[in-house]
Each structure stands twice: as C-alpha cells, then as structure tokens.
Amino acid sequence: MVVASGSGVANLNLRKGKVGSSYNNVMKGGDNSDSECCSSSSMVEVERNPSCISFTTFNILAPIYKRIDPKNQSRRESDSRSSWLSRNQSILNSLLAESSSIMCLQEFWVGNEELVHMYEERLGDAGYHLFKLARTNNRGDGLLTAIHKEYLSVVNYQELFLNDFGDRVAQLLHVQSIGPVLQNQMGTLHQEFLIVNTHLLFPHDSSLCIVRLHQVHQILQYVELFQRENRLKPMPIILCGDWNGSKRGHVYKFLRSQGFVSSYDSANQYTDSYADSHKQWVSHRNHRGNICGVDFIWLCNPNQPRKPLKTSWAEAVFSILKYQLRKASLSEDDAFTFLKGDNCGDAVTYFNFYEALRRVKLVDVPNGLCFQQFQDLWNQADVDGNGVIDLEEFKVYHISRLKTNLLKF
C-alpha cells in the first residue's frame, strides 16, 4: 500500500557536524490509479549512536487533496473514512518504525479532529512532543513537527505566517540535545540548533518563481531576526519540508548561496551512488503525474561563510530576470537594449529598469516585488551609485557575475 506522497530521512552527527555516511534510494510501489499516490523514500543512513540525531521530512498528502477517481476529479479521499484512516495508520506505522529524533510533516490534515487525535495519541505515546500549525484562511491542512523527548528538549517554538496568496506557514524550533556532546572539567556542553518545517507553493507556472523565492527569503529573514532578538550564539540551522522545486530551481540555488547543503548532496561525499546530480533520487509523483525530487533536508553549518542575505536575494532575482531574457533568446547586447527600453543613451535608468521588470512580470503584478524589494534590487544593480547602469557595468557586474554564480551551483 502506498502511504504518502514523499519522504526523506537524514541523520546528523552532533559531534562531527556532518550529515550521513552512506546513501540509499528506495522506490516503493503502489496503486497507480491516482498519480499523487506514487511514493518513495530517500534515506541517508548512519550507524545510530547517542551522538547522532535523525530527521524525517514527509509530505503525507492530506485526504482533502488526494484524488481517488480519475474520472471524477472532485472525489477526494476525505470522503472515505476507511481509506484515509487506513492510509494514515500505515503512515504512522512507518514513522514509528523509523523512529527519527525529529519528524517534520506537511499536508497534515489539521481540520479533522479524529486524524489529529490519532497522531497525537500514537506519537505522544512513543515519546514525542508535538507542534501543529494550520495554514491560514482555513485551508484545512498544515504542518506537524514531532520532537522525541528522549533526545531533545524544545527551548523555544515560533510560528511564521507568510500571509501570501498560497496561505503558507512555517514552524521554527530552537532545540537542545538531552545528552551532552562534550564533557570536561569546565562542565558539559549540549548541542543546540534551529529547525524549520515548511511547505512552499507549487510552481504552477514560471510567474510564481518570484513568489516561492520570496517565501524562502521571508523564512531566512525571520530566522536571522529570531537569532538576533534572542541573542543566540551561532548554531546549525536545519530546514525541512516540501520545497516543491528541484535542484535546478532558483530556490535551491538561493539556499546554496546562503551556505545550506542538502543532506542528499552531503551523501555524495561518502558514496559514488549519488553521482548524477539530476538523476539521483525521487521523492514522489506529483498531481501532474511527473516524477520529481523536492523534499529536502538542508543543513547550514554555523562556521560556513555566508553572503549577506540581501546580496543573495538580489542575485537570485537577477537570476530569474536572466532566465526570462534567455527564454526570449536575447543576446547580451539585446538584453541590455531590452533593459534600457526607449532611452536613447547608453545606460539603464531607474525608470527603464522598473519598466523592464514590469514587462517580465516581476513588478506591478499580484505577488510581485514590492517597492522596497525593487529598491534594494536597484541599489545592488547600480554598483557605483551614479543613478544609471551603463553597458560596461552591465557586462562586468551582471552578466559575467551571474554566469559565475550559476557555475558555483
């Protein structure tokens, strides 16, 4: 029986600070009557010991979204109690068999009291501390994060509401290891780190790239604010969830530019079974019937050098702009002409730049860049601060720089 839409498991060594030591990709078969049901499990396995904690991220496919009749798309699993009850019991069996230290679930059916109680009872009896968060505007589903009390204590818990048209949310937890990772004459040291659980918007079309990028930007901004307001020392950050985007996407590259490494990428350091970056693993088959890998577990080492968040954000937006220009088959000179619009001079003015972004639907559209975001982008583009971008500046600081950034990924 297929029990969910996708999952991933990774282990983190608290002492050595590296994710995983081997990689294994396992496909689980299932009923193909519904394209959303195809499931897989991607694992990074290590020998379990007290210095390791394990993570599971799992989009468990809310019954209100699971189609059960190809001929009648309006019929959902939520209409059949026996179906959703059986499938979610199987999900819980799998989760408890894996018994990860941390479980991050997406599409948790918070609107059904019976299902919520079942998860609370079974995970609670197994020693987990549960945190659930519904999406805004009564969407019916949300997030569930479970922390095993035997391994970790929760220092702080925060909820983030992105307030976008996708009604997305995120959970932020500051946790600390129960057992010490270092013990000497000076005392004991307990490992602390931050965990984020989220579910990004599905990219229904390319115009939503900027929305998804903004969602991640908001989350990282909030993490930075949380660390600053609580005067936290540098510590690892783990991002879990359904990112609804592949390794070729702008969100993936944005997170990499901020020092985050996918646990599946880390596995490549220890085995050759993860050699091809575009054919390596599958998390699920989406509602369009496409096989994809989008459920990531990200780790940011506090000692990893990181660009300022504003810089990474601007570079990511420029990358989207460059992608749009490439789609239009514009050469470097043509791209510059496009940006300067009707300006007779050899420079892109503030107004020209705004108009160009409007034409590629990055501004002046619902859920596009706000004024402050555009202003930050312009300040990044106008490197010398003279109020215009000339051709040489465009070539040196934007086209070449973006090519370099893309090669880094």
Side-chain angles (χ1 to χ4, degrees):
M1 175 181 289
V2 175
V3 296
S5 62
S7 68
V9 181
N11 291 265
L12 173 66
N13 187 304
L14 294 179
R15 290 200 179 103
K16 297 181 181 179
K18 63 185 181 182
V19 182
S21 61
S22 65
Y23 178 81
N24 180 31
N25 188 20
V26 182
M27 286 293 296
K28 294 180 182 176
D31 180 4
N32 292 322
S33 62
D34 176 17
S35 62
E36 291 171 281
C37 295
C38 184
S39 168
S40 73
S41 176
S42 302
M43 292 189 180
V44 179
E45 298 179 342
V46 297
E47 181 182 352
R48 297 201 174 188
N49 61 67
S51 68
C52 285
I53 56 171
S54 55
F55 293 79
T56 293
T57 185
F58 211 156
N59 182 326
I60 61 175
L61 184 53
I64 52 177
Y65 302 135
K66 187 179 186 301
R67 300 174 178 88
I68 59 175
D69 186 350
K71 297 181 180 179
N72 183 0
Q73 294 293 305
S74 64
R75 288 198 63 202
R76 301 300 168 100
E77 186 190 46
S78 53
D79 299 326
S80 172
R81 178 180 178 276
S82 61
S83 296
W84 64 253
L85 185 62
S86 174
R87 185 171 66 89
N88 278 273
Q89 286 172 340
S90 297
I91 290 173
L92 279 164
N93 291 341
S94 297
L95 290 171
L96 293 172
E98 189 62 42
S99 64
S100 293
S101 316
I102 298 166
M103 301 177 184
C104 294
L105 309 184
Q106 303 85 42
E107 290 198 24
F108 180 64
W109 194 14
V110 295
N112 185 282
E113 292 184 4
E114 183 180 3
L115 182 140
V116 170
H117 177 73
M118 180 172 67
Y119 275 80
E120 289 178 337
E121 183 175 51
R122 291 194 62 185
L123 292 179
D125 289 346
Y128 286 91
H129 190 183
L130 273 60
F131 300 85
K132 63 180 185 292
L133 175 62
R135 288 168 65 191
T136 49
N137 289 321
N138 297 315
R139 287 291 188 128
D141 71 306
L143 306 171
L144 178 69
T145 300
I147 309 294
H148 204 297
K149 302 173 187 176
E150 183 179 346
Y151 308 110
L152 298 163
S153 63
V154 178
V155 180
N156 200 339
Y157 168 71
Q158 297 292 319
E159 298 175 344
L160 174 59
F161 301 92
L162 302 184
N163 295 316
D164 55 15
F165 79 100
D167 297 309
R168 301 296 171 172
V169 295
Q171 296 174 296
L172 172 63
L173 295 93
H174 175 195
V175 301
Q176 176 179 279
S177 63
I178 297 295
V181 295
L182 182 64
Q183 196 164 8
N184 56 32
Q185 294 178 344
M186 301 295 293
T188 58
L189 175 65
H190 294 263
Q191 176 68 62
E192 296 181 56
F193 54 93
L194 300 178
I195 306 163
V196 172
N197 182 17
T198 194
H199 183 189
L200 298 190
L201 181 71
F202 184 84
H204 296 281
D205 58 66
S206 60
S207 68
L208 296 178
C209 287
I210 193 67
V211 179
R212 291 165 35 74
L213 191 64
H214 182 51
Q215 289 175 340
V216 180
H217 184 227
Q218 279 185 279
I219 291 171
L220 295 188
Q221 279 184 314
Y222 188 78
V223 170
E224 283 193 352
L225 178 64
F226 177 81
Q227 291 177 295
R228 188 165 59 249
E229 288 184 343
N230 290 278
R231 299 180 180 178
L232 300 181
K233 62 185 179 182
M235 63 182 63
I237 303 170
I238 292 93
L239 308 180
C240 297
D242 182 350
W243 301 87
N244 267 325
S246 73
K247 294 184 66 173
R248 296 182 294 274
H250 298 288
V251 166
Y252 181 94
K253 295 169 184 176
F254 176 56
L255 286 169
R256 287 295 302 271
S257 75
Q258 277 292 291
F260 286 90
V261 179
S262 164
S263 61
Y264 308 119
D265 293 343
S266 294
N268 193 32
Q269 300 175 31
Y270 310 105
T271 177
D272 294 330
S273 65
Y274 192 80
D276 190 329
S277 63
H278 297 310
K279 298 179 182 178
Q280 73 293 33
W281 66 284
V282 173
S283 62
H284 72 297
R285 188 189 298 274
N286 67 23
H287 65 282
R288 293 177 173 173
N290 301 321
I291 290 176
C292 52
V294 299
D295 299 302
F296 291 96
I297 298 174
W298 293 93
L299 168 66
C300 184
N301 190 315
N303 299 322
Q304 177 75 20
R306 297 170 64 186
K307 296 179 182 179
L309 183 56
K310 185 178 291 187
T311 300
S312 286
W313 161 253
E315 290 177 350
V317 177
F318 278 122
S319 181
I320 292 177
L321 175 60
K322 183 181 177 183
Y323 171 75
Q324 298 285 10
L325 297 178
R326 191 190 301 120
K327 275 178 56 178
S329 300
L330 296 179
S331 66
E332 183 176 297
D333 289 339
D334 289 339
F336 184 74
T337 300
F338 175 83
L339 288 178
K340 73 187 187 72
D342 58 4
N343 183 20
C344 297
D346 290 326
V348 179
T349 66
Y350 182 92
F351 175 79
N352 297 147
F353 190 62
Y354 186 90
E355 181 62 18
L357 265 63
R358 187 190 66 79
R359 290 171 65 186
V360 296
K361 299 182 179 180
L362 289 179
V363 297
D364 251 7
V365 292
N367 306 295
L369 298 175
C370 67
F371 172 77
Q372 186 57 54
Q373 289 171 329
F374 172 79
Q375 189 66 46
D376 291 341
L377 195 64
W378 170 257
N379 292 337
Q380 184 80 10
D382 182 17
V383 179
D384 58 14
N386 67 348
V388 296
I389 306 169
D390 58 37
L391 180 58
E392 290 307 311
E393 186 178 33
F394 174 76
K395 289 180 179 179
V396 173
Y397 292 102
H398 303 297
I399 296 296
S400 298
R401 184 161 142 201
L402 284 171
K403 285 179 179 176
T404 301
N405 288 336
L406 290 173
L407 286 174
K408 287 179 181 177
F409 301 130

